[in-house]
Amino acid sequence: MAGEANPRLARTEVRFGERLTAQAELLRSSLTSGPGILWVSLFLLLPLAGIGVISFLTRGTYGEIELPFTIGNYRRIAGFGLLGFDAQYPQIILRSLLLGAGTTVVCLAASFPLAFFIAGQPERRKQLALTLLIIPFWTNLLIRTYAWQILLGPDSFLARVASTLGLAEAGRPLYPSVFAVYLGMLCAYLPFLALPLYTAVEKLDWSIAEAASDLGADKLRVFRHAILPQLVPGMIAGIILVFIPATGQFVVPDLLGGAKTVMLGNAIQQQFGPSRDWPFGSAIAFVGMAVVLVGLYLQSRSAAAREGEGLL
Amino acid sequence: MVENGVDRSAERPVAVEVDRVFRRFGDFVALDHVSLKIHEGEFFSLLGPSGCGKTTLLRILAGLDLADDGVVRIGGVDASAIPAHRRPVNTVFQSYALFPHMSVRDNVAFGLRMKNVPEKEIATRVEQAIEMVQIGAFVDRKPAQLSGGQKQRVALARALINRPKVLLLDEPLGALDLKLRKELQVELLALQRNVGITFIFVTHDQEEALVLSDRIAVMRAGKIEQLGEAESLYENPKNRFVSQFLGTCNLIEAEVQADEGREMRALTPFGTVYFAKRDRGPAVAPGTRCTLAIRPEKVAVASPGEAGTNKVPATIEELVYIGAETHYILKCPAGKLTAYVMNSVLGPQGLEIGNRVTAHLPSSALLVLED
């Protein structure tokens, strides 16, 4: 009763058994999340805004960033060249998306058996298996990718097996090739999918699978209707963790796929580096980001329609 | 089921036969050669403390677990080689195990979809099932949006819609509060009478088993201790375990002294006690030791100083008033007795802690236990 009469009390909220005024709550939340917000603003949002502005500017004769404002950079990416339609940049974007999607598929295919295998191990071996999965990450990606060059080299064990099986010419390396690229990508991104998926498998409610079986579902349908739906959140987390960086990846396709193919990543690097065309590089970076964000948005909308909750 | 003293259930066909089923997990024997027969349309309960093997037996019947030895027959057919998804049984799980990503409607329809029943027929049967358990208001909700009692109803509908030969229920009411549990017990019983399907009900709640079941198998450590109708289990427990697990019981160690025609005379810590001879139960000869049991409600509390056979002087040590009855703990020189007395008069019942009374143990109410 007294609380209703007292306007100061009416505005307070109880948090963990404490009664806080609005000001006190604001002070607390800015103390806890303030540093993070500051960090992200200073080192992510601000530079990103800068890149956004630069993407609408013009390259000077010696690589300076100059006025006037233009949408020419974006037109160039969309394929409007000086000499009519130029498919170079649409192709690069498509190729990168394809690499991202392909890597995601390969990682998914490998993660399912791996996640179930590890989850089925006794507790001590689980730890060992998870450690083994992580160990390659103690080594730099560049070094790991060079290591694949050795493992796939002309006299390597793998090359000999392949030639014995008639899959490759004897005495020749297994790279550059699409196979080598995806092997390298799998090696680079597997844990990002396998670990979230493994966590989801560990948390599986098997009684739901038993219920499905009890209600007449054979093994395949038990998986489809009772197990897979429980794994979807873990799968989506892993897919996002793999797809986004894999789309921007260029070291692996460069070293294992031959240096001929330009991806989003090295296209951006090219513009900021040798070509000294920062406005164009910024535009490519923004387009890449936009494509991924649109994809995530669509995913989260469909998830929201399905489950009543999304990621974004 | 008993009419004129004849067990009528035995005339019905056998729905489920468990024949010397053995199951072990490592060194732990969960089921030690259990055999029983369950009749069609029967409400049968497996009652026992946790770890007694009742849930393992249920899972073996469902095909979710396999016996190491022995045979399970469902409708006369050896089910050992039939996988779970093709057995004519359905289960209501303890945790309900509803599909979290499906609406109530899709949960209920799942079994029929798996059997490729035409969608049109599914729709009609789902409507019927939903009506049967009164969940019409929630058909479009997800399980997470339901209360425990509502989930329970969905789980029932999801199982019963398949018209199984046998419905297996694994402590389905265990997670609900007492009031809801009592309500659902009544509904469950009506439902079972209505659909006529054989129910096999696993519970550790003796009262629930007594209320619901046609017959009960009391289990302990992988074995059936005693099997029978509720009344016969309660009135004639075979041994200490059954007598204590089903209700409470005063146990009295006795040394049989003489056969006196219709009664036996025994020496107990409470003095000389006579107990009626009975057809059932172990035979006892003079000179042997045995355990006598008497239910608290059969102990009479009389005024002090009354003498006679089977009458023991006592003091009221503790009393608990619970409305319809008062529970007394009576302290005798040789030990304690529990007595439940109906509060049949209005107002104070007239006995208080410290009062001297006489505990009367009617000879006809004393049972001989096997151990």
PDB file of all heavy atoms in Angstrom, chain B residues 3 29 58 63 84 111-112 146 211 222 227 249 274 281 297 337 367:
ATOM      1  N   GLU B   3     -15.792 -62.125  -7.819  1.00  0.00           N
ATOM      2  CA  GLU B   3     -17.220 -62.235  -7.553  1.00  0.00           C
ATOM      3  C   GLU B   3     -17.463 -63.623  -6.984  1.00  0.00           C
ATOM      4  O   GLU B   3     -17.038 -64.616  -7.553  1.00  0.00           O
ATOM      5  CB  GLU B   3     -18.019 -62.060  -8.857  1.00  0.00           C
ATOM      6  CG  GLU B   3     -18.091 -60.590  -9.270  1.00  0.00           C
ATOM      7  CD  GLU B   3     -18.656 -60.420 -10.656  1.00  0.00           C
ATOM      8  OE1 GLU B   3     -19.550 -61.202 -11.015  1.00  0.00           O
ATOM      9  OE2 GLU B   3     -18.188 -59.526 -11.372  1.00  0.00           O
ATOM     10  N   VAL B  29      21.629 -57.144 -11.234  1.00  0.00           N
ATOM     11  CA  VAL B  29      20.532 -57.908 -11.831  1.00  0.00           C
ATOM     12  C   VAL B  29      19.249 -57.097 -11.685  1.00  0.00           C
ATOM     13  O   VAL B  29      18.755 -56.895 -10.581  1.00  0.00           O
ATOM     14  CB  VAL B  29      20.393 -59.282 -11.157  1.00  0.00           C
ATOM     15  CG1 VAL B  29      19.173 -60.005 -11.694  1.00  0.00           C
ATOM     16  CG2 VAL B  29      21.650 -60.104 -11.388  1.00  0.00           C
ATOM     17  N   LEU B  58       9.037 -52.774 -17.991  1.00  0.00           N
ATOM     18  CA  LEU B  58       8.181 -52.011 -18.900  1.00  0.00           C
ATOM     19  C   LEU B  58       8.910 -51.736 -20.220  1.00  0.00           C
ATOM     20  O   LEU B  58       8.336 -51.849 -21.306  1.00  0.00           O
ATOM     21  CB  LEU B  58       7.774 -50.690 -18.239  1.00  0.00           C
ATOM     22  CG  LEU B  58       6.534 -50.031 -18.817  1.00  0.00           C
ATOM     23  CD1 LEU B  58       5.309 -50.773 -18.349  1.00  0.00           C
ATOM     24  CD2 LEU B  58       6.450 -48.578 -18.408  1.00  0.00           C
ATOM     25  N   GLY B  63       9.936 -52.910 -25.989  1.00  0.00           N
ATOM     26  CA  GLY B  63      10.951 -53.190 -27.001  1.00  0.00           C
ATOM     27  C   GLY B  63      12.074 -52.172 -26.982  1.00  0.00           C
ATOM     28  O   GLY B  63      12.935 -52.170 -27.858  1.00  0.00           O
ATOM     29  N   ALA B  84      10.901 -52.252 -31.450  1.00  0.00           N
ATOM     30  CA  ALA B  84       9.950 -51.379 -30.750  1.00  0.00           C
ATOM     31  C   ALA B  84       8.920 -50.765 -31.693  1.00  0.00           C
ATOM     32  O   ALA B  84       7.739 -50.707 -31.365  1.00  0.00           O
ATOM     33  CB  ALA B  84      10.708 -50.270 -30.026  1.00  0.00           C
ATOM     34  N   GLY B 111       2.014 -40.996 -34.427  1.00  0.00           N
ATOM     35  CA  GLY B 111       1.973 -42.448 -34.595  1.00  0.00           C
ATOM     36  C   GLY B 111       1.247 -42.862 -35.869  1.00  0.00           C
ATOM     37  O   GLY B 111       1.679 -43.781 -36.579  1.00  0.00           O
ATOM     38  N   LEU B 112       0.146 -42.168 -36.181  1.00  0.00           N
ATOM     39  CA  LEU B 112      -0.622 -42.514 -37.386  1.00  0.00           C
ATOM     40  C   LEU B 112       0.159 -42.130 -38.639  1.00  0.00           C
ATOM     41  O   LEU B 112       0.149 -42.850 -39.642  1.00  0.00           O
ATOM     42  CB  LEU B 112      -1.982 -41.810 -37.365  1.00  0.00           C
ATOM     43  CG  LEU B 112      -2.912 -42.196 -36.212  1.00  0.00           C
ATOM     44  CD1 LEU B 112      -4.239 -41.477 -36.337  1.00  0.00           C
ATOM     45  CD2 LEU B 112      -3.134 -43.704 -36.169  1.00  0.00           C
ATOM     46  N   LEU B 146       2.739 -25.863 -22.289  1.00  0.00           N
ATOM     47  CA  LEU B 146       1.713 -26.604 -21.551  1.00  0.00           C
ATOM     48  C   LEU B 146       2.139 -26.820 -20.112  1.00  0.00           C
ATOM     49  O   LEU B 146       3.324 -26.869 -19.797  1.00  0.00           O
ATOM     50  CB  LEU B 146       1.475 -27.970 -22.207  1.00  0.00           C
ATOM     51  CG  LEU B 146       1.022 -27.986 -23.665  1.00  0.00           C
ATOM     52  CD1 LEU B 146       0.897 -29.420 -24.142  1.00  0.00           C
ATOM     53  CD2 LEU B 146      -0.287 -27.254 -23.838  1.00  0.00           C
ATOM     54  N   VAL B 211      -5.539 -47.642  -5.668  1.00  0.00           N
ATOM     55  CA  VAL B 211      -6.708 -46.966  -6.230  1.00  0.00           C
ATOM     56  C   VAL B 211      -6.997 -47.470  -7.642  1.00  0.00           C
ATOM     57  O   VAL B 211      -8.143 -47.706  -8.001  1.00  0.00           O
ATOM     58  CB  VAL B 211      -6.479 -45.435  -6.249  1.00  0.00           C
ATOM     59  CG1 VAL B 211      -7.547 -44.740  -7.086  1.00  0.00           C
ATOM     60  CG2 VAL B 211      -6.476 -44.885  -4.834  1.00  0.00           C
ATOM     61  N   GLY B 222      14.395 -56.988  -8.445  1.00  0.00           N
ATOM     62  CA  GLY B 222      14.307 -57.794  -9.661  1.00  0.00           C
ATOM     63  C   GLY B 222      13.385 -58.991  -9.570  1.00  0.00           C
ATOM     64  O   GLY B 222      13.354 -59.815 -10.477  1.00  0.00           O
ATOM     65  N   LEU B 227       1.871 -61.077  -5.927  1.00  0.00           N
ATOM     66  CA  LEU B 227       1.024 -60.618  -7.024  1.00  0.00           C
ATOM     67  C   LEU B 227      -0.418 -60.916  -6.675  1.00  0.00           C
ATOM     68  O   LEU B 227      -0.738 -62.021  -6.234  1.00  0.00           O
ATOM     69  CB  LEU B 227       1.427 -61.359  -8.304  1.00  0.00           C
ATOM     70  CG  LEU B 227       0.925 -60.828  -9.646  1.00  0.00           C
ATOM     71  CD1 LEU B 227       1.848 -61.322 -10.742  1.00  0.00           C
ATOM     72  CD2 LEU B 227      -0.498 -61.213  -9.935  1.00  0.00           C
ATOM     73  N   CYS B 249       2.508 -51.465   9.023  1.00  0.00           N
ATOM     74  CA  CYS B 249       2.155 -52.695   9.702  1.00  0.00           C
ATOM     75  C   CYS B 249       2.929 -52.781  11.007  1.00  0.00           C
ATOM     76  O   CYS B 249       4.083 -52.387  11.071  1.00  0.00           O
ATOM     77  CB  CYS B 249       2.518 -53.880   8.798  1.00  0.00           C
ATOM     78  SG  CYS B 249       1.308 -55.180   8.851  1.00  0.00           S
ATOM     79  N   TYR B 274      -2.732 -64.872  21.113  1.00  0.00           N
ATOM     80  CA  TYR B 274      -3.402 -65.904  20.317  1.00  0.00           C
ATOM     81  C   TYR B 274      -3.630 -65.369  18.914  1.00  0.00           C
ATOM     82  O   TYR B 274      -3.991 -64.204  18.749  1.00  0.00           O
ATOM     83  CB  TYR B 274      -4.752 -66.272  20.945  1.00  0.00           C
ATOM     84  CG  TYR B 274      -4.601 -67.004  22.252  1.00  0.00           C
ATOM     85  CD1 TYR B 274      -4.448 -66.299  23.456  1.00  0.00           C
ATOM     86  CD2 TYR B 274      -4.601 -68.401  22.288  1.00  0.00           C
ATOM     87  CE1 TYR B 274      -4.284 -66.957  24.656  1.00  0.00           C
ATOM     88  CE2 TYR B 274      -4.455 -69.069  23.484  1.00  0.00           C
ATOM     89  CZ  TYR B 274      -4.298 -68.349  24.665  1.00  0.00           C
ATOM     90  OH  TYR B 274      -4.145 -69.018  25.840  1.00  0.00           O
ATOM     91  N   GLY B 281      -1.094 -68.387   3.851  1.00  0.00           N
ATOM     92  CA  GLY B 281       0.079 -68.074   4.641  1.00  0.00           C
ATOM     93  C   GLY B 281       0.800 -69.323   5.050  1.00  0.00           C
ATOM     94  O   GLY B 281       0.286 -70.434   4.916  1.00  0.00           O
ATOM     95  N   GLU B 297      -4.947 -50.036  11.747  1.00  0.00           N
ATOM     96  CA  GLU B 297      -6.381 -49.747  11.915  1.00  0.00           C
ATOM     97  C   GLU B 297      -7.104 -50.925  12.563  1.00  0.00           C
ATOM     98  O   GLU B 297      -8.268 -50.810  12.946  1.00  0.00           O
ATOM     99  CB  GLU B 297      -7.030 -49.383  10.573  1.00  0.00           C
ATOM    100  CG  GLU B 297      -7.090 -50.520   9.559  1.00  0.00           C
ATOM    101  CD  GLU B 297      -5.836 -50.623   8.724  1.00  0.00           C
ATOM    102  OE1 GLU B 297      -4.803 -50.059   9.156  1.00  0.00           O
ATOM    103  OE2 GLU B 297      -5.875 -51.286   7.669  1.00  0.00           O
ATOM    104  N   LEU B 337       3.523 -49.817  19.446  1.00  0.00           N
ATOM    105  CA  LEU B 337       2.490 -50.245  18.497  1.00  0.00           C
ATOM    106  C   LEU B 337       1.871 -49.000  17.883  1.00  0.00           C
ATOM    107  O   LEU B 337       1.742 -47.977  18.548  1.00  0.00           O
ATOM    108  CB  LEU B 337       1.392 -51.047  19.208  1.00  0.00           C
ATOM    109  CG  LEU B 337       1.760 -52.439  19.709  1.00  0.00           C
ATOM    110  CD1 LEU B 337       0.641 -52.978  20.601  1.00  0.00           C
ATOM    111  CD2 LEU B 337       2.014 -53.391  18.545  1.00  0.00           C
ATOM    112  N   LEU B 367      -1.658 -61.724  11.335  1.00  0.00           N
ATOM    113  CA  LEU B 367      -1.216 -62.533  10.198  1.00  0.00           C
ATOM    114  C   LEU B 367       0.153 -63.113  10.483  1.00  0.00           C
ATOM    115  O   LEU B 367       0.963 -62.495  11.149  1.00  0.00           O
ATOM    116  CB  LEU B 367      -1.084 -61.664   8.952  1.00  0.00           C
ATOM    117  CG  LEU B 367      -2.308 -60.921   8.449  1.00  0.00           C
ATOM    118  CD1 LEU B 367      -1.873 -59.923   7.408  1.00  0.00           C
ATOM    119  CD2 LEU B 367      -3.284 -61.930   7.875  1.00  0.00           C
TER     120      LEU B 367
END
